[in-house]
Amino acid sequence: MRPATILLLIAVPLSAVAQSLLWPTSASRQLSSGFGSDRANRFHMGLDIRTRQQVGHPVFAIADGYIDSVAVSPYGYGKVLYVRHPNGYRSVYAHLDRFAGELDSLVSRLQRERGRYRVALSLPPGRFPVRAGEVIAYSGETGAGPPHLHLEYHAPGDVAVNPFRYGLPAVSDRTAPVFYRLAVVPLSDSSRVEGGIEPRVWRLPSHRRARPAPLPPLRVRGAVGLAVEVIDYMDGSGYRLAVPELELWIGGRRLFYRRLDRIPYRYVAAYDLDRDYGLRERTGRAFVRLWRHPANPLPGYETDGSGGILRLAPGRYQFRILARDVFGNRSALEGILVVDPPLAPRSDPGNGPARPMRPWTGPEPEIEPTDGGLAWVWLPGAYRGLTVVYADSSRRFYETVVQGSSAYALVYWPLRPLPVALEGVGPDGERYRTSVSWVPVPRGRQVSLSCPQGGGWVRFFAHTLFQDAPLLLRSARPGELEVRIPVALVADSFQIALPLPTSKSEVQGWGIYRQTGSGWSFLGARREGEVLVASSSLPGRFRILRDSLAPTVHFLPPNTTPRARRQPQWRTQPLRVRLQDDRSGIDDASIELWINDHRQVPVYDPEAGGLLLPPAARWPRGQNRIRVRLADRAGNYTERTFTLFIP
């Protein structure tokens, strides 16, 4: 039976047949992002529908139901509305400009009463019933991103599903997915790809064609996995969409099938197990694995028992990769794998006659465990060999790859027995030894671990990890903690604690920050005794810093000349008060706004960099007084008053 035939026999979920849904807006029927598309360390959980860079298009309920909650925030989804349907499903409409009718009046009244922009409101079932096709809101650009409508459809159990698989009308699309790159990844310390220990990536000479040019034969040894950068497009659009269905066939046998139609919200971080995190770090591109990681909890995978990992006997094999988008358009990528015999075990020089062992001098080796029981070890010197010593006294020797004045190796790095030391043959032929301090962190229970250098502690919860993982804690200076753990295995947040400086009993202004590419990002400042505690879902370098400077506030007055007052912007363009804080960031919940001594709802837009005020045409003539009070997230307050004259 041909692979394409098998694809056609995949069953459509019964719910997709049982209920038809309506398209949610008249703005367009084009997507700018699809279900399962790439985001930073997470999945995109719905559809982004283009609104032609405009706001105010009607948004319709996709099925009968009732509005069960709404929320307003300057971040994320912005203004968002949730509709509960009789079949137990729930639809989500985000980045709205405003809600429709009485609901918008209710939200506005709550904002005025509280003097706050943020709202989170649960509604009783009978309060706001809706019919399919009824206008429930208007599209906008609140929260993150430019003008668009974000739609999600949730199955019971808070499981996001692809709306197109569950009754949303299809759009016109005959464009097949495009294969851009193929990667082969070593999955054991004895694996080789084209003779080397590193993953290899082949750029495919195709551009929006269903059949790329032929690949050269790919030479491998040992256990390897294939991964692809494959992108879907819609007719006439350059927006990159995820491909939900992928298959891997070897010699006429299907080893792997993946159909990404359902993503439980509790597994949104499993993105880095579906994609290959290591390849993304190397290339900056999102490769989908054609094997299932053992910790991957997502539904929708089928394998032949191998998990999709290729452990093939020596020989020559034809492989075929099939990609299908949600509308049935299909592409294929074919190639040849040449599998070489396994490597013969290498003897460990340390098992021979006794040789003097010297303490490691100079910079320590850098160790980066992968999410698959291996680790990259970088040696600060042209070391010609590396031996890993494990807790049970077993040893493994590796030849290193020397690059200039440094070397590296891909080594076996299990949790049990955990590696305890590294021994290297230096450029001078002498042997050097250093201990390693990685520890195992178990999944499924709460664990607190202290840094050996006394720089703080971390706390992992039962839900923090997808599986047991190796952890390194170290502190290079007081008030700093480095947390190293494979990113792909982190399912949820963990806590970091750092001691307050001993000479400072006052917590005001101190906080925990995580190092980013552009500086330090504020995480939190909850006090527990003499330490500050914050949460993070990403490992890295954390530091306790003080922010003693209040935010700055600048009013950007409009042009009030007669010519400017005749322009459309005079009536439509919001005025702005620019808010800026260079360390901990603006605390949007602290913002208070008065106009002519009347308290107003402060509409804070972090992407615009400040408060949005009514357009100039809506202000009374004469002198107007604007007063703004706010704090940063370290608790530093500022207050400014401005005058606006409207002729």
Side-chain angles (χ1 to χ4, degrees):
M1 181 179 289
R2 295 177 57 195
T5 307
I6 290 180
L7 275 171
L8 292 172
L9 294 177
I10 300 296
V12 176
L14 290 177
S15 52
V17 178
Q19 182 179 28
S20 61
L21 307 175
L22 300 182
W23 193 254
T25 181
S26 57
S28 81
R29 294 178 72 88
Q30 291 185 325
L31 303 182
S32 58
S33 187
F35 183 83
S37 292
D38 307 320
R39 293 296 184 268
N41 298 100
R42 62 180 178 86
F43 291 106
H44 187 246
M45 303 292 269
L47 309 177
D48 284 349
I49 301 171
R50 298 182 63 189
T51 59
R52 302 194 295 272
Q53 294 296 313
Q54 299 170 351
V55 303
H57 292 282
V59 175
F60 312 116
I62 60 174
D64 294 348
Y66 65 89
I67 301 172
D68 72 349
S69 59
V70 295
V72 179
S73 167
Y75 303 99
Y77 285 174
K79 292 186 177 181
V80 57
L81 180 151
Y82 300 81
V83 175
R84 182 78 63 180
H85 303 289
N87 63 353
Y89 281 61
R90 200 180 190 207
S91 53
V92 184
Y93 313 78
H95 308 298
L96 305 171
D97 183 61
R98 64 189 188 277
F99 307 110
E102 182 187 347
L103 179 59
D104 195 64
S105 300
L106 172 62
V107 171
S108 297
R109 186 172 70 250
L110 289 174
Q111 290 176 316
R112 290 192 299 270
E113 290 173 354
R114 302 169 183 175
R116 297 285 184 268
Y117 181 67
R118 283 182 181 261
V119 170
L121 181 62
S122 296
L123 299 165
R127 181 73 184 275
F128 289 100
V130 297
R131 303 289 294 177
E134 180 179 343
V135 176
I136 55 176
Y138 297 88
S139 69
E141 57 178 328
T142 55
H148 70 284
L149 173 64
H150 177 82
L151 173 72
E152 294 183 21
Y153 197 47
H154 294 179
D158 205 19
V159 178
V161 301
N162 191 332
F164 287 118
R165 301 284 199 194
Y166 287 75
L168 193 71
V171 299
S172 176
D173 178 33
R174 297 181 180 226
T175 302
V178 180
F179 289 99
Y180 280 98
R181 286 169 177 81
L182 170 71
V184 184
V185 182
L187 297 179
S188 78
D189 58 345
S190 59
S191 301
R192 298 293 184 268
V193 181
E194 297 293 326
I197 62 174
E198 297 186 87
R200 288 289 303 271
V201 175
W202 284 265
R203 185 171 182 176
L204 304 173
S206 63
H207 183 66
R208 300 204 188 189
R209 296 189 312 187
R211 296 183 63 84
L215 282 164
L218 313 180
R219 188 170 293 276
V220 302
R221 190 192 305 267
V224 298
L226 304 186
V228 289
E229 182 193 15
V230 57
I231 305 296
D232 190 36
Y233 299 92
M234 294 182 62
D235 293 353
S237 172
Y239 289 100
R240 300 161 67 93
L241 309 179
V243 177
E245 286 189 72
L246 290 167
E247 295 190 55
L248 171 62
W249 292 73
I250 300 288
R253 179 167 60 98
R254 190 175 79 174
L255 272 66
F256 174 87
Y257 173 72
R258 171 255 208 192
R259 175 166 163 164
L260 193 66
D261 286 341
R262 300 169 60 87
I263 305 174
Y265 251 90
R266 66 185 181 276
Y267 299 146
V268 65
Y271 169 89
D272 281 322
L273 296 175
D274 178 76
R275 272 61 162 185
D276 190 288
Y277 178 80
L279 287 172
R280 181 156 62 89
E281 286 293 288
R282 286 173 174 269
T283 67
R285 297 180 175 275
F287 284 82
V288 182
R289 302 185 199 215
L290 299 179
W291 76 95
R292 186 173 190 178
H293 191 286
N296 188 346
L298 294 169
Y301 297 84
E302 298 175 13
T303 72
D304 67 341
S306 66
I309 296 175
L310 305 182
R311 298 183 179 90
L312 303 173
R316 187 180 179 92
Y317 299 84
Q318 183 174 17
F319 69 85
R320 190 169 194 238
I321 302 169
L322 300 178
R324 174 178 281 188
D325 67 20
V326 71
F327 305 114
N329 303 298
R330 191 186 69 173
S331 298
L333 173 65
E334 297 179 348
I336 298 294
L337 283 175
V338 178
V339 180
D340 291 331
L343 288 172
R346 295 301 304 268
S347 61
D348 182 353
N351 290 333
R355 299 178 59 189
M357 187 72 65
R358 300 185 178 188
W360 204 284
T361 58
E364 291 288 314
E366 284 294 322
I367 304 166
E368 194 66 45
T370 72
D371 53 52
L374 303 173
W376 292 97
V377 179
W378 288 273
L379 305 169
Y383 285 80
R384 298 193 297 273
L386 175 70
T387 298
V388 182
V389 183
Y390 300 92
D392 62 356
S393 299
S394 62
R395 307 161 63 90
R396 291 200 184 196
F397 173 74
Y398 298 92
E399 289 186 340
T400 57
V401 178
V402 178
Q403 286 188 339
S405 60
S406 62
Y408 64 92
L410 179 64
V411 306
Y412 179 54
W413 202 267
L415 292 177
R416 298 169 187 85
L418 198 69
V420 295
L422 299 178
E423 298 175 359
V425 180
D428 55 3
E430 298 294 334
R431 292 182 59 81
Y432 296 88
R433 179 185 174 100
T434 185
S435 61
V436 295
S437 303
W438 291 78
V439 297
V441 181
R443 176 186 179 272
R445 60 190 180 93
Q446 183 171 312
V447 178
S448 296
L449 299 165
S450 297
C451 178
Q453 294 88 7
W457 52 259
V458 294
R459 180 180 293 145
F460 292 89
F461 302 96
H463 52 75
T464 297
L465 299 174
F466 285 117
Q467 72 174 27
D468 297 358
L471 169 73
L472 173 66
L473 296 180
R474 63 185 177 188
S475 178
R477 51 176 285 180
E480 183 174 293
L481 181 64
E482 185 179 4
V483 180
R484 304 274 294 275
I485 195 168
V487 172
L489 300 181
V490 179
D492 207 339
S493 60
F494 55 92
Q495 289 184 339
I496 309 100
L498 289 170
L500 284 162
T502 55
S503 61
K504 306 291 183 182
S505 59
E506 175 58 51
V507 71
Q508 176 67 36
W510 293 95
I512 294 178
Y513 294 73
R514 180 180 178 274
Q515 189 174 30
T516 65
S518 58
W520 294 88
S521 176
F522 179 82
L523 295 179
R526 181 169 58 85
R527 187 166 185 175
E528 289 187 11
E530 294 304 310
V531 300
L532 292 184
V533 180
S535 295
S536 175
S537 58
L538 289 174
R541 191 181 303 274
F542 303 89
R543 184 178 292 178
I544 187 167
L545 299 171
R546 190 172 194 183
D547 181 0
S548 58
L549 298 177
T552 58
V553 183
H554 300 281
F555 176 55
L556 306 178
N559 185 346
T560 59
T561 63
R563 181 177 180 180
R565 297 200 301 271
R566 292 194 295 269
Q567 300 301 315
Q569 293 87 340
W570 182 259
R571 297 183 298 276
T572 62
Q573 188 70 40
L575 304 185
R576 283 178 167 79
V577 176
R578 189 171 62 207
L579 310 179
Q580 186 173 355
D581 189 84
D582 292 332
R583 176 151 282 185
S584 60
I586 301 297
D587 176 12
D588 68 278
S590 72
I591 302 174
E592 299 176 4
L593 172 67
W594 287 266
I595 296 178
N596 295 329
D597 297 324
H598 296 286
R599 188 162 182 178
Q600 306 292 321
V601 176
V603 180
Y604 176 53
D605 186 344
E607 292 186 347
L611 293 178
L612 304 183
L613 305 182
R618 293 171 54 187
W619 291 72
R621 293 181 180 273
Q623 295 282 356
N624 291 273
R625 187 167 177 263
I626 304 167
R627 182 160 61 99
V628 179
R629 185 173 189 268
L630 74 151
D632 59 23
R633 290 190 286 176
N636 302 299
Y637 270 89
T638 188
E639 183 172 324
R640 292 290 307 276
T641 300
F642 308 95
T643 298
L644 170 63
F645 179 76
I646 302 294

